[in-house]
Amino acid sequence: MDFKAIKTFQTIIRTGSFNRAAEELNYAQSTVTMQIQKLEADVGVPLLERGKTISLTEAGRFFYEQSNFLLKDMERLQDSLTEYAAGTAGKVRLGATDPTASYRLPVLLQKFMNLFPKMAISVDIAGTAALTERLLRGELDMILCSPPEFNKELHYEPLFTEEFVLILPDGHPLTAEPLLTPDHLRGHRLLITASGCPYRKKLESVLQEYAGPPLDTMEIGSMSALKFYVEKGLGIALVPEVTLHPLPEGTVMRALEGGRVNMTSGIACRLSDYPLKPAGRSLYEFLKEELAEVTSKNDREGSR
């Protein structure tokens, strides 16, 4: 059954004639006549009584009532498909690691969904390794993460640098040091994340360059929780600066010389999915633009 023919039928009933329907739809009258003839052939019964005026048969009245709902549904579907193709509607399955997921993403998604209210977004929060596996299995459309292990099936685009700083209890001996280096961390209890965390791996690789006694460490499973353990005097920690606004009471924030523990973050998707479908592409481009501002801001503050 032809959608255009149903629309023509509805227009004939609304305007009261074949001529007026043809004018409104910008069709030749012969086209309108052929569409109605084909529609009646498709349904197998006459729908219109032809004469000086147009009237509906009993079947025509039933078809008119039912097709009115059908036409509205089809128009909504057509609008939805147009929005989907334009990247203004659709569903995106996003994965993200902390601290991005907790400290950066909420405000970004609020802004994005104000721009695209018909978007449906789900957020999966985990570590880079776990999110990469879900991405490769097709359970996610894209992930915000630290650089994943090399995989020829992945497309990864670095976007910004997560700046790390040292947080110490107020009155800690290291607060008196004018300049702190990784070597200063030895001899003080260092709070670290779980062994599979990319941030911990980066920290360990930096500290391996410095000779000295083994580190006194205490493992805390959550990056976001580290500052609260420092607040209670359990040790010192290197954490993303974005997590320290506001700074916990009774703590001090200090830069570590050279920023050598800073971590790159970016967007990954499956190479076979790149470029992404319209909805995913809209979110990808939005996040790419917004998160690139983080690096620009860091560069501006670093040059002061």
Side-chain angles (χ1 to χ4, degrees), residues 115-299:
L115 293 171
F116 302 102
K118 294 186 178 180
M119 285 286 194
I121 300 173
S122 61
V123 182
D124 191 351
I125 302 174
T128 296
L131 290 177
T132 300
E133 289 179 7
R134 291 171 204 168
L135 179 66
L136 291 171
R137 289 198 300 264
E139 297 169 6
L140 296 171
D141 298 308
M142 70 183 82
I143 59 176
L144 285 168
C145 60
S146 58
E149 295 291 332
F150 174 75
N151 188 306
K152 62 182 180 180
E153 297 179 44
L154 287 178
H155 171 82
Y156 180 75
E157 188 169 1
L159 295 182
F160 68 100
T161 300
E162 197 67 79
E163 303 278 353
F164 274 64
V165 293
L166 195 63
I167 177 174
L168 314 96
D170 194 12
H172 190 278
L174 291 182
T175 59
E177 295 288 341
L179 184 68
L180 292 176
T181 69
D183 194 42
H184 284 99
L185 304 184
R186 296 189 182 277
H188 304 279
R189 183 184 295 130
L190 181 64
L191 307 181
I192 56 175
T193 50
S195 58
C197 176
Y199 301 106
R200 174 169 166 177
K201 291 180 180 178
K202 179 69 178 290
L203 175 60
E204 288 175 339
S205 70
V206 170
L207 293 175
Q208 282 173 1
E209 299 176 21
Y210 291 81
L215 285 168
D216 175 13
T217 61
M218 178 178 178
E219 188 172 298
I220 307 296
S222 166
M223 170 75 71
S224 299
L226 287 174
K227 61 184 180 181
F228 300 113
Y229 286 76
V230 174
E231 184 181 14
K232 298 304 179 184
L234 290 169
I236 62 176
L238 275 157
V239 299
E241 185 179 359
V242 70
T243 67
L244 298 180
H245 303 288
L247 189 67
E249 187 176 350
T251 65
V252 176
M253 181 176 70
R254 292 287 302 276
L256 194 67
E257 186 272 325
R260 301 179 63 188
V261 188
N262 295 344
M263 285 287 294
T264 299
S265 287
I267 302 183
C269 64
R270 293 194 301 181
L271 195 58
S272 58
D273 294 336
Y274 188 83
L276 295 164
K277 294 173 183 176
R281 187 164 61 248
S282 291
L283 180 59
Y284 186 102
E285 293 300 327
F286 174 84
L287 292 174
K288 180 178 173 181
E289 181 177 348
E290 292 291 322
L291 289 170
E293 284 296 312
V294 175
T295 296
S296 298
K297 180 181 177 183
N298 290 341
D299 289 344

Side-chain angles (χ1 to χ4, degrees), residues 8-22 29 32-33 36 40 46-58 60-61 64:
T8 298
F9 172 76
Q10 291 278 341
T11 307
I12 291 170
I13 304 309
R14 181 167 49 78
T15 60
S17 80
F18 278 60
N19 283 339
R20 284 192 287 271
Q29 185 175 341
V32 171
T33 301
I36 298 304
E40 290 178 322
L47 300 174
L48 297 171
E49 295 283 1
R50 277 82 163 171
K52 290 184 179 180
T53 58
I54 298 296
S55 60
L56 290 165
T57 64
E58 184 176 348
R61 282 192 294 274
Y64 176 73

